[in-house]
Amino acid sequence: MKLVSRALLPLLLLSAPFSAAMEPISMGIAVGVATALTGLLSTFPTLYCRLQECCQAHWVELNFTGLKVDLEDKLFGQHIAKQVVLKAVRGFLMNPNPKKPLALSLHGWTGTGKNLISKIIAESIYRKGLESDYVHQFVSTLHFPHPEYLSQYKEQLQKWIRGNVTLCGRSMFIFDEMDKMQAGLIDSIKPYLDYYDNIDGVVYRNAIFIFLSNAGGERITEITLDFWQKGNKREAIHLKDLESKVSIGVFNNKKSGFWHTSLIDKNLIDYFVPFLPLEYKHVKLCVREELKMRGYEEDEQIMTEIADEMTYFPENEKIYSDKGCKTVATKLDFYL
Ligand SMILES: *[C@@H]1O[C@H](CO)[C@@H](O)[C@H](O)[C@H]1NC(C)=O
Ligand SMILES: *[C@@H]1O[C@H](CO)[C@@H](O)[C@H](O)[C@H]1NC(C)=O
């Protein structure tokens, strides 16, 4: 309405001396309405994207502070994963012209925080987090269960990735249970991870790929235990102590899903992110975080009882929780 009156005002003033003639006024109205309509239409996409998720800032934009705070507050016992993810995500998202998509490969024992970190990354980039239309999760046993359909799966996966990256360059793809994925399937997405400017006009360089796998978990645990037995602090373990060993282990492990794939061969994975086995004290922190998330006060007794319920390995030392923090949430249900 504002637009109409503002556009009409000068025309009305101009036409005042010719008050007998109606023509200029109706013309003025027509011009005013046209101006108003154009104004409305030009604001429409903005208005639409205010209400509805769009592939642009406001909806898709890194909140680095948020990422840092969440990693600090919600992820326990993973000093290496924290560092690597902060560096990788910031470096990639701040780069206006990356040469290839970001590919992270997360490795470690079950319940150590691989899914959690994917969620935290998604939430730091997409306002709607995992619920975003631009975040896609694939679980091997769920999406690609039948070996005999390998060629269909390959085709479908390529089509999905192409389609979704066409819709939004900053798309994120999470592949869970890589160790249960058929060898070969992941090779079909190799071109999208490579250093190409574009493929058939579609630019994949801003996309993010995250692979989750238990593969390498045993090796990581061995190395962590070795540090512990030598009396070293867990925090003294560095990425370089693990990275090459994990990557070689994954490459040679028939069950890793990456087995002999050209992803590793051609260095298309940017970062191997190791997740260390969790100790008793980390399990307690997981309980505390879960209590907080559900709106309860910190409760030392519940924290201790749940941590006591978990089983720990190796047999003699009993330092690492064999399910990490995985069952904390369900165990907590019994207490509340
Ligand atoms: C970024 O994250 C911080 C910490 O979680 C939060 O306080 C802030 O509101 C977020 N900023 C935006 C723009 O969402
Ligand atoms: C995007 O990916 C989803 C699977 O997560 C798929 O169902 C959908 O068809 C894809 N969209 C396009 C346009 O390809």
Side-chain angles (χ1 to χ4, degrees):
M1 283 322 280
K2 223 174 192 165
L3 265 167
V4 174
S5 53
R6 205 183 296 152
L8 270 179
L9 193 60
L11 284 162
L12 286 173
L13 289 176
L14 261 179
S15 62
F18 315 99
S19 52
M22 288 301 288
E23 274 310 289
I25 295 183
S26 51
M27 208 178 87
I29 290 172
V31 170
V33 169
T35 315
L37 269 177
T38 322
L40 256 178
L41 282 178
S42 68
T43 57
F44 184 70
T46 336
L47 191 69
Y48 177 82
C49 290
R50 222 163 249 275
L51 307 168
Q52 196 72 34
E53 185 181 35
C54 288
C55 180
Q56 51 175 250
H58 175 74
W59 293 102
V60 181
E61 191 175 27
L62 175 65
N63 181 348
F64 187 68
T65 319
L67 176 62
K68 233 167 122 176
V69 169
D70 276 359
L71 286 175
E72 213 48 62
D73 290 356
K74 297 178 182 162
L75 185 76
F76 307 111
Q78 304 300 354
H79 65 282
I80 302 175
K82 233 178 246 183
Q83 280 165 11
V84 176
V85 162
L86 276 175
K87 181 173 152 224
V89 171
R90 174 157 64 180
F92 181 72
L93 278 112
M94 297 283 171
N95 181 354
N97 195 15
K99 296 281 180 286
K100 70 182 281 304
L102 177 65
L104 303 175
S105 190
L106 319 187
H107 297 268
W109 213 258
T110 178
T112 48
K114 302 187 298 289
N115 279 295
L116 178 64
I117 221 168
S118 317
K119 181 165 177 272
I120 291 175
I121 296 174
E123 284 170 351
S124 75
I125 301 173
Y126 305 89
R127 192 160 284 246
K128 294 176 78 179
L130 292 177
E131 302 300 313
S132 166
D133 285 346
Y134 311 125
V135 177
H136 307 276
Q137 285 199 79
F138 304 101
V139 182
S140 299
T141 50
L142 202 71
H143 291 92
F144 318 111
H146 307 294
E148 64 273 28
Y149 294 144
L150 181 61
S151 57
Q152 279 102 313
Y153 291 154
K154 280 186 176 177
E155 213 170 289
Q156 194 179 44
L157 191 55
Q158 289 182 333
K159 210 174 102 200
W160 281 350
I161 292 178
R162 195 186 318 123
N164 282 298
V165 174
T166 305
L167 285 177
C168 183
R170 183 71 85 209
S171 285
M172 179 163 154
F173 302 93
I174 303 171
F175 292 86
D176 198 357
E177 300 185 346
M178 277 302 291
D179 38 324
K180 299 195 185 76
M181 186 181 271
Q182 291 180 66
L185 180 52
I186 209 64
D187 263 344
S188 69
I189 69 165
K190 189 197 136 238
Y192 307 131
L193 289 172
D194 213 335
Y195 293 81
Y196 293 119
D197 183 52
N198 72 74
I199 302 170
D200 298 330
V202 181
V203 174
Y204 294 88
R205 286 176 283 125
N206 294 304
I208 300 164
F209 291 83
I210 301 182
F211 304 101
L212 276 56
S213 163
N214 289 348
E218 271 165 60
R219 197 75 192 92
I220 295 170
T221 300
E222 275 169 31
I223 296 169
T224 315
L225 184 63
D226 190 49
F227 258 73
W228 182 85
Q229 281 166 337
K230 288 186 177 138
N232 292 319
K233 266 176 56 184
R234 178 187 179 93
E235 285 72 25
I237 306 175
H238 291 291
L239 180 61
K240 64 173 169 10
D241 298 319
L242 299 161
E243 199 177 28
S244 62
K245 288 180 183 115
V246 171
S247 139
I248 290 164
V250 169
F251 187 56
N252 291 322
N253 183 347
K254 277 190 197 192
K255 279 201 262 162
S256 78
F258 281 118
W259 190 55
H260 278 207
T261 73
S262 39
L263 291 193
I264 295 179
D265 226 5
K266 299 198 121 192
N267 286 317
L268 295 182
I269 301 288
D270 301 298
Y271 296 91
F272 284 91
V273 189
F275 285 73
L276 309 181
L278 295 180
E279 299 173 12
Y280 183 86
K281 64 176 183 212
H282 302 125
V283 176
K284 276 178 78 174
L285 292 173
C286 290
V287 181
R288 193 181 70 180
E289 177 59 24
E290 189 68 31
L291 278 168
K292 194 170 128 200
M293 250 172 46
R294 300 192 192 186
Y296 290 93
E297 298 274 305
E298 183 170 334
D299 187 322
E300 186 64 32
Q301 195 188 340
I302 294 185
M303 285 160 60
T304 309
E305 279 179 44
I306 292 183
D308 284 343
E309 267 183 43
M310 302 297 225
T311 42
Y312 296 85
F313 71 95
E315 216 171 325
N316 297 321
E317 295 91 342
K318 294 205 191 309
I319 17 176
Y320 303 123
S321 163
D322 66 355
K323 292 203 179 61
C325 280
K326 193 163 193 154
T327 51
V328 161
T330 32
K331 284 200 191 318
L332 191 57
D333 292 337
F334 289 102
Y335 286 88
L336 298 175

